[in-house]
Amino acid sequence: MLVSYLKQTKELFGDELYLSKTSNSHEKNKNAKSDLDNFCKEIYECQKCPLGATRNKFVFGAGDPQANLMLVGEAPGAEEDRLGEPFVGRAGKLLDKILKAINRSRSKDVYICNVLKCRPPNNRDPLTSEVERCEPHLLKQIEIMRPKLIVALGRVAGKTLLKVEQPLKDMRGKLHDYFGTPLIVVYHPAALLRNPGLKPAAWEDFKWIRSILDN
Ligand code: URA
């Protein structure tokens, strides 16, 4: 098992390896699962913006309701819209491998969602008007889950949450604050697929994420 873990992290990120410890003193909401389920039932037919009319499925979010790590992408793509789950395409498969390398998974200490819960046509960037309507849903998810750390996946998620117009390189590597919860911006897994040369930097980010979670 250790051998396959080492092989897999080497494949993903090269030679540098860190082994994680697990400890957690963060206070959680014991009812997070039912609170999230109830909240989803309240909003899954949302029509607050025009994307409600064009979506196939509302993509609420998925993962461990007790997670300390909340990953936030920009918006569902075609596969997510078809299946109603976040990050299920090729980028999602890579994300799963990265999570495994930090000893986590969708069912273990990770919750994944998006700023927008419905797919923008042709995967265009979210409009400000859509974010204004949808971001309160994300804030409620955060209030229920009380994650220790939010990780924005990619430039669009980062700039949308932080309300800044900056390239990813300026947002990356810093501990930001999102309404009282620490937030880090990392490369979108789709960017890592397009440009595997970014993977060592992404691995640095995820080692940092793991150290925050484990301390
Ligand atoms: N990209 C995103 O930002 N979110 C998804 O759910 C899938 C791809």
Side-chain angles (χ1 to χ4, degrees):
M1 215 176 126
L2 179 62
V3 172
S4 83
Y5 168 79
L6 294 176
K7 256 176 83 179
Q8 180 225 354
T9 31
K10 186 172 160 65
E11 249 172 55
L12 272 168
F13 300 113
D15 284 328
E16 204 176 346
L17 291 169
Y18 282 64
L19 296 175
S20 67
K21 60 184 167 66
T22 46
S23 77
N24 217 321
S25 60
H26 198 62
E27 200 188 316
K28 304 299 293 179
N29 168 12
K30 292 195 179 59
N31 302 319
K33 183 176 177 347
S34 60
D35 288 354
L36 284 174
D37 288 347
N38 291 337
F39 182 50
C40 181
K41 278 182 205 138
E42 252 175 57
I43 62 166
Y44 82 103
E45 290 181 320
C46 179
Q47 293 292 340
K48 284 193 173 142
C49 86
L51 299 182
T54 54
R55 70 167 173 247
N56 284 307
K57 294 241 170 89
F58 185 87
V59 184
F60 179 75
D64 176 1
Q66 296 295 333
N68 282 306
L69 175 59
M70 176 184 267
L71 303 178
V72 184
E74 61 189 80
E79 275 300 277
E80 291 77 21
D81 177 62
R82 192 171 70 81
L83 297 169
E85 284 255 338
F87 283 92
V88 286
R90 269 186 78 216
K93 302 274 176 301
L94 177 58
L95 184 60
D96 288 341
K97 286 187 188 171
I98 294 172
L99 293 175
K100 197 166 173 205
I102 60 160
N103 194 27
R104 284 171 170 83
S105 72
R106 283 172 199 247
S107 53
K108 186 177 153 204
D109 205 23
V110 178
Y111 188 83
I112 311 180
C113 58
N114 285 294
V115 182
L116 295 192
K117 309 302 188 209
C118 302
R119 184 192 181 205
N122 304 315
N123 299 343
R124 63 152 170 73
D125 287 356
L127 302 178
T128 308
S129 57
E130 294 160 356
V131 173
E132 276 169 10
R133 303 289 164 82
C134 214
E135 198 174 6
H137 297 334
L138 176 65
L139 285 167
K140 179 76 184 173
Q141 287 172 304
I142 293 167
E143 186 191 316
I144 292 172
M145 288 192 52
R146 305 171 197 161
K148 188 172 179 183
L149 180 68
I150 296 171
V151 172
L153 297 170
R155 186 187 67 89
V156 176
K159 71 169 193 156
T160 307
L161 295 175
L162 296 174
K163 315 288 182 237
V164 292
E165 200 50 64
Q166 280 180 3
L168 186 116
K169 69 173 173 46
D170 291 353
M171 293 184 280
R172 193 182 149 251
K174 294 178 186 152
L175 202 56
H176 304 269
D177 175 89
Y178 183 69
F179 294 98
T181 305
L183 181 146
I184 286 173
V185 186
V186 302
Y187 290 111
H188 196 286
L192 303 179
L193 288 173
R194 282 194 304 273
N195 184 356
L198 297 174
K199 283 182 179 180
W203 182 222
E204 288 305 315
D205 290 342
F206 274 88
K207 282 187 301 192
W208 184 33
I209 289 165
R210 185 173 59 194
S211 74
I212 293 171
L213 294 171
D214 289 349
N215 281 308

